[in-house]
Amino acid sequence: GAVVSQHPSWVICKSGTSVKIECRSLDFQATTMFWYRQFPKQSLMLMATSNEGSKATYEQGVEKDKFLINHASLTLSTLTVTSAHPEDSSFYICSARSQDRGDTGELFFGEGSRLTVL
Amino acid sequence: GQNIDQPTEMTATEGAIVQINCTYQTSGFNGLFWYQQHAGEAPTFLSYNVLDGLEEKGRFSSFLSRSKGYSYLLLKELQMKDSASYLCATMDSNYQLIWGAGTKLIIKP
């Protein structure tokens, strides 16, 4: 199957600092990438849809100025959590849909990034 | 509104068969997915149904009835490694996934 790599897997930062999480499709081109957040014992929640070369579409309630998404190429999307606070501590997961494989709807997920804000 | 229901937790015995049900109400329908998620890891794709009927893939099978808004995931010959959460998700008319809360499956020896 297709591979999506997410980095870093774990990150601990101080309150008020910014953290960047990268999501790369390693063996396919991804025109669309999705960013999710999962709090403990809760389901995945879609934060935003990232389209290559255009602005991300954010879900209701997600602050676009706080969660900056950049999808500059067909293989890379980044999520930057700006001025992080303890309530931003969560598991962040990216997924990608392949342009090359037709629209089967199958999503390929990164390994996830666990953010802890002190 | 959009709603997906699945049991919170199920317990089964190693070697047995278990069926995890999912009912849904969504605006627009472009298929139903089942994902497996082990604690602390990202979900992995198990199955995708867009037409009515049963899709079999090894020990796992998934069934869909669009008229009833119902799906199930069937796991046969259960192994201890199958202990995980199983997420049901539908894709709406905008190709966005709508996730259920997941069913935690506990396998006992």
Side-chain angles (χ1 to χ4, degrees), chain B residues 63-77:
Chain B
F63 172 83
L64 174 67
S65 169
R66 288 172 297 172
S67 62
K68 296 181 179 178
Y70 167 70
S71 172
Y72 67 73
L73 179 69
L74 190 72
L75 293 79
K76 304 176 185 177
E77 301 171 16

Side-chain angles (χ1 to χ4, degrees), chain A residues 87-101:
Chain A
E87 56 265 31
D88 298 324
S89 298
S90 184
F91 194 47
Y92 293 86
I93 306 172
C94 72
S95 70
R97 174 182 291 134
S98 170
Q99 175 187 11
D100 301 328
R101 296 165 186 259

Side-chain angles (χ1 to χ4, degrees), chain A residues 8-29:
Chain A
S9 300
W10 296 84
V11 58
I12 300 173
C13 69
K14 294 182 179 180
S15 184
T17 60
S18 295
V19 174
K20 180 186 284 187
I21 301 171
E22 293 186 348
C23 180
R24 294 181 183 273
S25 56
L26 298 185
D27 55 356
F28 67 99
Q29 294 183 322

Side-chain angles (χ1 to χ4, degrees), chain A residues 9-109:
Chain A
S9 300
W10 296 84
V11 58
I12 300 173
C13 69
K14 294 182 179 180
S15 184
T17 60
S18 295
V19 174
K20 180 186 284 187
I21 301 171
E22 293 186 348
C23 180
R24 294 181 183 273
S25 56
L26 298 185
D27 55 356
F28 67 99
Q29 294 183 322
T31 49
T32 304
M33 288 186 172
F34 302 92
W35 286 97
Y36 297 85
R37 179 169 55 184
Q38 185 178 34
F39 292 107
K41 299 184 179 180
Q42 295 185 24
S43 183
L44 288 173
M45 292 179 57
L46 180 65
M47 298 176 65
T49 302
S50 170
N51 294 300
E52 186 266 337
S54 63
K55 291 183 179 180
T57 304
Y58 289 82
E59 295 300 301
Q60 191 173 9
V62 178
E63 300 174 58
K64 61 180 180 181
D65 295 330
K66 180 172 182 62
F67 298 99
L68 301 178
I69 292 173
N70 184 283
H71 194 159
S73 76
L74 284 171
T75 59
L76 174 64
S77 176
T78 60
L79 167 68
T80 301
V81 183
T82 62
S83 187
H85 290 282
E87 56 265 31
D88 298 324
S89 298
S90 184
F91 194 47
Y92 293 86
I93 306 172
C94 72
S95 70
R97 174 182 291 134
S98 170
Q99 175 187 11
D100 301 328
R101 296 165 186 259
D103 194 6
T104 63
E106 184 175 359
L107 297 180
F108 302 97
F109 284 88

Side-chain angles (χ1 to χ4, degrees), chain B residues 16-106:
Chain B
I17 300 173
V18 70
Q19 177 174 312
I20 304 174
N21 296 325
C22 172
T23 58
Y24 64 90
Q25 290 177 311
T26 57
S27 54
F29 182 77
N30 271 313
L32 186 140
F33 296 78
W34 283 96
Y35 282 84
Q36 179 192 60
Q37 186 179 26
H38 287 99
E41 299 179 11
T44 54
F45 172 81
L46 291 179
S47 67
Y48 171 66
N49 294 66
V50 67
L51 300 176
D52 290 347
L54 186 69
E55 294 276 346
E56 297 187 75
K57 195 183 289 186
R59 293 190 299 115
F60 293 3
S61 302
S62 57
F63 172 83
L64 174 67
S65 169
R66 288 172 297 172
S67 62
K68 296 181 179 178
Y70 167 70
S71 172
Y72 67 73
L73 179 69
L74 190 72
L75 293 79
K76 304 176 185 177
E77 301 171 16
L78 286 170
Q79 301 175 9
M80 297 303 293
K81 66 178 182 179
D82 297 330
S83 293
S85 287
Y86 290 85
L87 304 171
C88 170
T90 61
M91 181 169 281
D92 67 12
S93 52
N94 293 318
Y95 294 96
Q96 303 291 358
L97 281 179
I98 299 137
W99 296 84
T103 299
K104 183 178 180 181
L105 177 62
I106 300 169

